[in-house]
Amino acid sequence: MSTSTVRELPAVAPAVTAELVAALSPRLRKRLDAGITKLADRPVVRDGDTVRITVDDEGSELELHAPGGVVADAAAIRCGCLLAPDCLHRAAAASAAPVADASADTASTEGADGTAGVGAVEAAGQPAPLPGVREIPVPDESATAPQLAAAHAVFEAVAAVLDAGTDGSGAVLQAELLRAAHTARLAGLPRAAAAAVSVVTGVRAARAADPAFRLTELVGAVSEALFVAHRVPHATGAELTGLRGTVRQPYTPDGSLRLYGLFSEPVLTASGYAGAVTWTADAEGRLYTVSDVAPGGTGRAVGAADRAVRIGDTALTHRELARAGLAVSGATVSPTGRLGAGAGVRAVRASGVGWRAEPLVRLWAVPVAEQVGRALDGGHELLFLEVTAVGAVREAAGDCLLADCGGVPLRLTAAHDHPELPHRDNLRLLAAARGSRLRVVARLVAAPQARAQLLATEHPMRAGSRVDVGLDRLQHADLPVPESPPSAAPLAPAAPVHVVRTPDEAPLHLLRRRIEQAASGGRRVLAFPGDSAADVHRLHRHGLGTAGDILDGLLAAAAERSRDAFGRLLPADTGHFARAWLTAARYTDEVDRVLCAAAWGG
């Protein structure tokens, strides 16, 4: 199904999709993927909370009733064809629609019980837990029987998807994984449930050739789901608490706060949620966020910046708060720094300050290596950097901004590639402002090179002004005038494209490439690796003996097939291959952390 049609459909709860697919006959299950493809060319009409799709030439309509933007019950999907309710159309529509985040509908509001949901806004990153928060001792307990069963179901379902790859993971395999995610959520494993849903979302984006799909993100989702499901049966105490995760975070009173706006960024998730998050800081440099995330698409991600923030009676919009200040009384704050919006919270507009004035200037005074170390150790991933624009560097995913950060060659990439968001266009223009020295805010990307996603920057021409890269759109007139005669081209010349050559470095990509190949093409891609001995020897030669052994084990697990007493091949052991793949993925993640710290001078 085309990505445009998918965006018009409301989000559907995982349990609904699993229920509808399970109800299909074996014959209809085989036709499910073809049925999803046929819906791509059918007209979609939205009328309030109801979405209608004309499913055949006779005018039969399929209705999805989504109060609040989410289809939460199988009965809310009704079809007017002759075979309804046992037709293919209901399951096809549910399988094509975005997967609803069970907690995202409360992501930006505080509940009456003093808690708030952990929803789509988490994708935008959150501050580290605030200092001074007392940790409650966790009893040395083990997972319950329902949690053990749910973890096993998630592991088996993800292993089946990994065995098949994105091309082979059709709607039936996706539904099995959604069923496992629903079981995990009911058993009290929201972290495993969220990871499983992320895998389904990534697989669907890959199969639909969505331009926003990133293979590295799918690899991360598969790794997270397998890791949590694998560790739950063996964990106790604090580790088990972390593996279980939380659906709702407690909001604790924090008295009065004087906050200064830093920047705003749009939020747009593949699961059908959109909005904006505004980052602020207090006088001590602690970070707080104000979020507005709800079901919606690109229009909401862009428009949310001009909506009033949901705190107290203030009329400030997110765009205004990013440059102003906020005085809050009766504040409630989550452990990650999100401000609550309960009835007792009062907030009024206050004056803001520039990035080069107190108290915000102290954010840029922290050494870069220390900021990177904090992010890699589980703190917030924001980096406050002073850079000099060098030009553009060409990569497979598109050109990115090459900058010098205190002698460290830094690649600044787009936080989002959607064409209606200005991230990529702003990066191209900033690359033309060669020699401009700017303070920026970026989000760390753990990679062997210094890399970060650009979120906000000082204006190249207007002192004291700043640009929210995901919301504000730069023009050529905003760039410094090139030093050339008036007869030269009236617009700033295109920035030169640099091809950065690095010295012979540890060839960890030999292992990472196999990990990504398996996630994309499935186990069979690695079952006949050809001459892999050279890759293993090269890893050993560069001192990565463990990586070489892991690669050897991964390829052996992919090719391993047993036979029965009559010499017939038995089904592959998907669990064994998934564990070998997980070992490789976790190893490369840890090495990337070490190389990332070294690249930044840590």
Side-chain angles (χ1 to χ4, degrees), residues 534-545:
D535 291 345
V536 175
H537 290 324
R538 185 178 174 190
L539 288 168
H540 279 275
R541 193 165 59 248
H542 282 78
L544 294 173

Side-chain angles (χ1 to χ4, degrees), residues 578-601:
R579 286 186 290 273
W581 184 92
L582 177 61
T583 300
R586 297 286 295 182
Y587 173 83
T588 54
D589 285 345
E590 191 60 31
V591 174
D592 277 344
R593 283 168 43 86
V594 175
L595 295 178
C596 178
W600 288 90

